[in-house]
Amino acid sequence: MSSKIPYVNILQSAICIPAAEEIPIALDIKILPDKNIPPEAFFGVWLLDISGSMAGDRLDNAKESLIEQVKILPENTIFNLITFESEIHEILTNVKITNSSRSDIIKRIDKIQDRGTTSLFEALEKGVGLIREYVRNGGNLSVKKIILISDGDPTDVQVKSGDESDPNYQKYFQLAKEALEYKSSIDTVGALGEHNVYLMYEIAKQSAGKYIFAENEDELKTKMIIATEQTAKIAFSQPTMQLTGILGKIDLEDAAQYKPTVIRMPFNKVNDQLANATFRSFEAGDTYQILVKGKLYLDKSKINMEVPNKILGLEIDFGKPEMKIQQDITIKFSTDPSKFKLNQDINKKYANVFSQAEEIADCTIRGDAQATQRIQGDETKKIG
């Protein structure tokens, strides 16, 4: 984790406007983490599908990838490997990566064989349970990651592909939200085009993780390795943003990252004057840009005309007491139309980004993994 506060620049859509009780506002936040940080140890849980559909090259490449990942994991990383088919199997739990332990881990991976169906829910439940236990026992590694690899639909808690209203989806998403509560994200790797795209994408999104699509066996191997390399280079693990209404109520409507890739972010309304959002983890050297959109409901009696008014308090917490950025968002209210000023570029950008986000949502429901990756950008290549 970086000890240096990143560069942060915040632009806003409304700069000088007429006074009103309801004001739309959009913020464009740019964050540049330090690029000069070495790979760091993390707490990792790998959930590997070994059901019958993974037989052959898929499983062979996944195993080869796991072995390569073990070779490059930073010392003191805590390694957990759970395989799942009709049952789940705790292959390794809470093993610290050292020069001597790597060879033992590799031998255990070599012995993995395919079998059975796909108990994905039970595996995810186990993975989140390991994170919960680690946090409650005082684990000191800041970065905590679950990596879920699967090529099929779950057969334990079944869901209907193409029907996002199926209530069983919420059982999976609740686990994703619990992981987020423990400052852990879930990266999902959809192997080939046969996985449940909506399920895997939403698990990642709702935990502020990454959805990664592997089109073939070679990509499965390569992208798993890259995802682990990216995790080891996290500069800030799931920073949070808090918005506080100063002159009235706030309604945060949407938040999305659009660089290096496009994805909506979890956010919630705490009360009428407080809302927050969770960012994706920031990796060293990448450029991150986030759009936040909402409405302000102001008490006009508190507005001072022709001077800047503090309307919002913004705080970004990068995970340490000394790693917070606080900034007031101000707007000038005027009766003179010649002074009115809006940043139309932000509004245009918002329309484009959220149009892409809606298109991604449609693609995931249809089960179109290729289109999802094309629009959002490849998480392992960072194509924005």
Side-chain angles (χ1 to χ4, degrees):
M1 297 281 284
S2 177
S3 59
K4 180 180 177 182
I5 294 179
Y7 167 82
V8 177
N9 185 53
I10 302 170
L11 301 176
Q12 62 195 72
S13 58
I15 299 165
C16 182
I17 57 176
E21 293 181 348
E22 181 179 325
I23 297 172
I25 182 99
L27 303 177
D28 189 357
I29 304 168
K30 183 176 185 178
I31 300 175
L32 297 176
D34 187 5
K35 63 181 179 180
N36 297 312
I37 67 167
E40 295 190 21
F42 61 95
F43 184 88
V45 182
W46 281 258
L47 305 176
L48 176 62
D49 184 349
I50 61 167
S51 61
S53 60
M54 284 287 289
D57 288 345
R58 296 185 194 183
L59 185 55
D60 289 343
N61 278 269
K63 286 165 61 177
E64 289 174 19
S65 180
L66 276 172
I67 289 170
E68 292 303 313
Q69 290 170 68
V70 169
K71 291 177 180 178
I72 64 173
L73 285 173
E75 292 244 332
N76 298 317
T77 292
I78 305 298
F79 183 84
N80 299 267
L81 175 58
I82 307 298
T83 61
F84 60 99
E85 31 92 16
S86 304
E87 300 176 342
I88 67 166
H89 307 271
E90 297 180 31
I91 306 300
L92 294 159
T93 56
N94 297 315
V95 177
K96 183 176 288 189
I97 294 293
T98 64
N99 288 332
S100 60
S101 70
R102 292 182 203 268
S103 59
D104 292 334
I105 295 171
I106 290 170
K107 289 176 183 177
R108 297 293 296 274
I109 293 171
D110 267 332
K111 294 179 181 179
I112 295 172
Q113 295 181 334
D114 65 276
R115 65 183 86 171
T117 53
T118 311
S119 296
L120 195 154
F121 180 83
E122 190 177 355
L124 185 58
E125 193 173 40
K126 179 63 180 179
V128 174
L130 288 170
I131 295 289
R132 183 193 309 119
E133 182 180 0
Y134 180 73
V135 171
R136 290 181 177 178
N137 288 339
N140 60 3
L141 293 175
S142 298
V143 177
K144 297 170 284 293
K145 176 75 73 175
I146 296 173
I147 303 96
L148 170 62
I149 306 105
S150 181
D151 74 337
D153 264 314
T155 54
D156 51 354
V157 178
Q158 297 182 8
V159 290
K160 296 176 183 176
S161 295
D163 180 9
E164 73 274 24
S165 65
D166 184 341
N168 275 353
Y169 279 112
Q170 297 305 320
K171 296 178 182 179
Y172 291 89
F173 302 158
Q174 191 57 46
L175 290 174
K177 292 171 184 175
E178 184 179 354
L180 186 61
E181 289 175 6
Y182 293 113
K183 299 284 285 184
S184 171
S185 58
I186 304 170
D187 288 355
T188 59
V189 183
L192 292 81
E194 298 155 13
H195 61 284
N196 187 313
V197 180
Y198 176 71
L199 176 65
M200 297 285 272
Y201 180 86
E202 286 293 323
I203 287 172
K205 186 184 82 172
Q206 297 194 35
S207 67
K210 299 176 180 178
Y211 166 73
I212 298 166
F213 171 51
E215 292 194 45
N216 53 51
E217 287 81 1
D218 288 338
E219 273 202 355
L220 176 62
K221 176 181 177 179
T222 302
K223 290 190 173 186
M224 286 173 61
I225 294 171
I226 294 173
T228 292
E229 290 174 334
Q230 292 170 340
T231 299
K233 292 286 286 180
I234 286 176
F236 301 102
S237 181
Q238 295 175 292
T240 57
M241 176 187 68
Q242 181 171 285
L243 289 170
T244 305
I246 295 175
L247 288 185
K249 298 178 182 179
I250 178 173
D251 182 14
L252 181 59
E253 296 173 353
D254 226 329
Q257 172 186 295
Y258 68 95
K259 284 188 180 180
T261 54
V262 176
I263 192 165
R264 275 197 168 107
M265 299 185 303
F267 69 92
N268 69 290
K269 178 179 179 179
V270 180
N271 55 47
D272 285 344
Q273 291 182 282
L274 188 63
N276 55 42
T278 300
F279 294 155
R280 306 279 295 282
S281 292
F282 297 150
E283 293 158 19
D286 262 323
T287 298
Y288 292 84
Q289 287 198 251
I290 295 112
L291 282 172
V292 179
K293 181 179 183 293
K295 288 189 177 71
L296 303 175
Y297 300 92
L298 304 183
D299 181 347
K300 289 183 70 174
S301 67
K302 296 180 180 179
I303 292 176
N304 295 310
M305 302 299 293
E306 309 301 336
V307 296
N309 288 253
K310 293 179 182 179
I311 52 125
L312 275 178
L314 182 148
E315 178 182 280
I316 300 176
D317 185 346
F318 292 99
K320 297 179 181 179
E322 69 279 9
M323 301 288 282
K324 292 183 180 180
I325 290 176
Q326 295 178 321
Q327 182 169 324
D328 290 327
I329 306 298
T330 64
I331 293 178
K332 182 182 286 188
F333 297 96
S334 177
T335 57
D336 183 354
S338 68
K339 295 180 180 179
F340 296 163
K341 186 176 181 182
L342 296 172
N343 188 334
Q344 297 290 1
D345 286 343
I346 294 179
N347 292 323
K348 291 176 183 177
K349 197 175 295 181
Y350 166 82
N352 181 52
V353 168
F354 287 99
S355 173
Q356 291 181 69
E358 288 298 323
E359 192 174 355
I360 289 170
D362 290 340
C363 290
T364 63
I365 294 167
R366 293 200 312 268
D368 192 338
Q370 289 181 320
T372 297
Q373 180 175 260
R374 174 178 53 80
I375 300 164
Q376 74 161 20
D378 188 335
E379 292 284 12
T380 59
K381 294 181 181 178
K382 302 298 182 62
I383 300 173

